Amino acid sequence: MFKFLLPTSNYKGATRARHAINLTALTLIGSLLLTACNQPASPDVAPESQEVKTEEQQRAEDSQSVTQSDSATARIEQFQPLYVEQVLGLQRRLQAEYESLQAADISESETSLLSNSTQTQPNQASATESTNDQAATAESAPTDTQEKSSDINTSTEVGERDLSVLKRISLEPRKPDMLTQEQIIENYQQAMQALYEPVTSEMSAKDTDTLLNIAALIPQLFEHAEIANRVNAKSPALARLIIQRQVWQQIEAQQVLDMQQLKLSQQQEFETLMSKFNDTIKDYDEQIAKYEQTLKEFQQ
């Protein structure tokens, strides 16, 4: 066997060199760490001037109109005939309901007048005497009447509040506004154009009503991302209403699917039970036939 030995002096020198290198490296690393600790941390938050600039940019964008994309234009044109058809159908239903209510009110009024005229003639003399007595009583005690009239509509207890305020509300049917096809199209296009106007400009009541009608009759129009963003920018309240309506539609659709699935499972269960019942009856019939055959054989 061979042993390789280094000279003692060389070995000690190499060891001292390695220690020197390690010491130098440790010193350098320590100085770097101290330098890093002494340096001030860089701020993560943007300067105030930059935030103000962003807000100014946002205000500038809100004060500008937005160009309608080709896909949004195509979708708006696609749903226009459907909206017109829905509005015309709704107007016809409202007109028919108005005419029906008006005819019912006229008939009820004629019946009431006929009944009142029949009851008034035989009781006219007694009614006159009663009126005179009431007038005399009112003259003798005017203070009581004034005190009672001052207490009208002041009580908040259930059943004690006077209904004179509700009687002022007219219950007569209101004739619906009948728009032509051209007017419906004009309102539809104007409302869609209003969505792309600057956010800072308020929408008119007419455009808001039209958008509400669109949301009620053809909510699928707002499933387009750009149109939905414009509705949210111009009228967040209307956007929430549209979302709520879509959620309710999804709930109703899910309920319909659940009912159909329940009916299907019940039908399958019923058919399974009927199949088992028929098989059992068939077995009974076969056993009865065997018993009858055995009985005949014994009788012979």
Side-chain angles (χ1 to χ4, degrees):
M1 295 180 64
F2 297 93
K3 294 182 179 180
F4 295 92
L5 297 178
L6 292 174
T8 304
S9 59
N10 293 338
Y11 174 76
K12 292 181 179 180
T15 302
R16 292 194 187 96
R18 283 197 299 268
H19 284 302
I21 294 173
N22 293 335
L23 182 60
T24 304
L26 290 174
T27 305
L28 179 61
I29 293 173
S31 62
L32 290 175
L33 290 174
L34 290 175
T35 304
C37 293
N38 293 329
Q39 287 181 353
S42 58
D44 296 333
V45 183
E48 184 178 358
S49 60
Q50 186 175 355
E51 292 182 358
V52 174
K53 184 178 181 181
T54 302
E55 293 177 358
E56 292 177 353
Q57 289 178 351
Q58 185 64 40
R59 285 196 295 267
E61 292 177 359
D62 292 342
S63 62
Q64 295 177 358
S65 59
V66 179
T67 303
Q68 192 176 100
S69 66
D70 295 338
S71 60
T73 303
R75 190 173 184 84
I76 293 172
E77 293 177 355
Q78 176 187 358
F79 280 88
Q80 177 177 303
L82 179 59
Y83 175 71
V84 174
E85 180 182 355
Q86 294 285 345
V87 173
L88 290 176
L90 178 61
Q91 290 184 164
R92 287 192 294 267
R93 291 192 297 271
L94 292 176
Q95 180 65 24
E97 182 180 358
Y98 167 76
E99 293 175 355
S100 177
L101 292 174
Q102 195 176 33
D105 289 345
I106 293 174
S107 177
E108 184 178 356
S109 299
E110 292 177 352
T111 304
S112 178
L113 288 174
L114 181 61
S115 177
N116 291 334
S117 62
T118 304
Q119 295 177 359
T120 302
Q121 292 178 357
N123 298 327
Q124 184 174 4
S126 60
T128 303
E129 295 176 358
S130 177
T131 302
N132 294 332
D133 294 339
Q134 292 177 357
T137 303
E139 291 177 358
S140 63
T143 305
D144 296 340
T145 305
Q146 293 176 356
E147 292 177 355
K148 291 181 180 180
S149 63
S150 63
D151 293 334
I152 293 178
N153 287 334
T154 58
S155 177
T156 58
E157 297 295 332
V158 177
E160 296 183 2
R161 189 166 180 81
D162 186 74
L163 299 179
S164 59
V165 177
L166 294 178
K167 294 178 181 179
R168 299 173 186 173
I169 301 176
S170 176
L171 298 179
E172 296 182 359
R174 178 182 176 183
K175 186 176 181 180
D177 297 331
M178 303 297 291
L179 302 178
T180 63
Q181 182 173 349
E182 290 75 14
Q183 290 174 333
I184 297 173
I185 294 175
E186 181 181 357
N187 293 343
Y188 175 82
Q189 294 178 350
Q190 175 61 35
M192 291 294 100
Q193 183 179 356
L195 289 179
Y196 287 84
E197 292 178 355
V199 177
T200 54
S201 63
E202 296 183 0
M203 289 191 301
S204 63
K206 184 178 180 181
D207 292 337
T208 303
D209 291 341
T210 303
L211 288 174
L212 288 173
N213 292 335
I214 294 173
L217 298 176
I218 51 169
Q220 305 90 341
L221 172 64
F222 300 109
E223 293 178 2
H224 190 278
E226 178 182 306
I227 301 177
N229 289 333
R230 293 309 303 169
V231 173
N232 189 37
K234 290 290 293 183
S235 179
L238 179 59
R240 287 192 294 269
L241 288 176
I242 295 173
I243 293 175
Q244 291 175 359
R245 179 180 176 84
Q246 291 177 346
V247 170
W248 277 112
Q249 286 180 341
Q250 292 176 359
I251 294 175
E252 292 176 354
Q254 185 62 42
Q255 290 177 347
V256 171
L257 292 177
D258 293 341
M259 290 299 297
Q260 292 177 351
Q261 185 65 31
L262 178 61
K263 290 180 179 179
L264 180 60
S265 60
Q266 290 178 347
Q267 181 67 24
Q268 292 175 350
E269 184 178 359
F270 175 76
E271 292 177 355
T272 302
L273 292 175
M274 287 300 299
S275 178
K276 291 181 179 180
F277 178 77
N278 292 332
D279 293 338
T280 303
I281 293 298
K282 184 179 179 180
D283 293 339
Y284 288 157
D285 291 339
E286 292 178 355
Q287 291 179 5
I288 292 173
K290 289 179 180 180
Y291 291 151
E292 291 177 350
Q293 182 65 28
T294 304
L295 181 61
K296 289 179 181 180
E297 291 176 356
F298 279 121
Q299 290 177 355
Q300 292 177 357

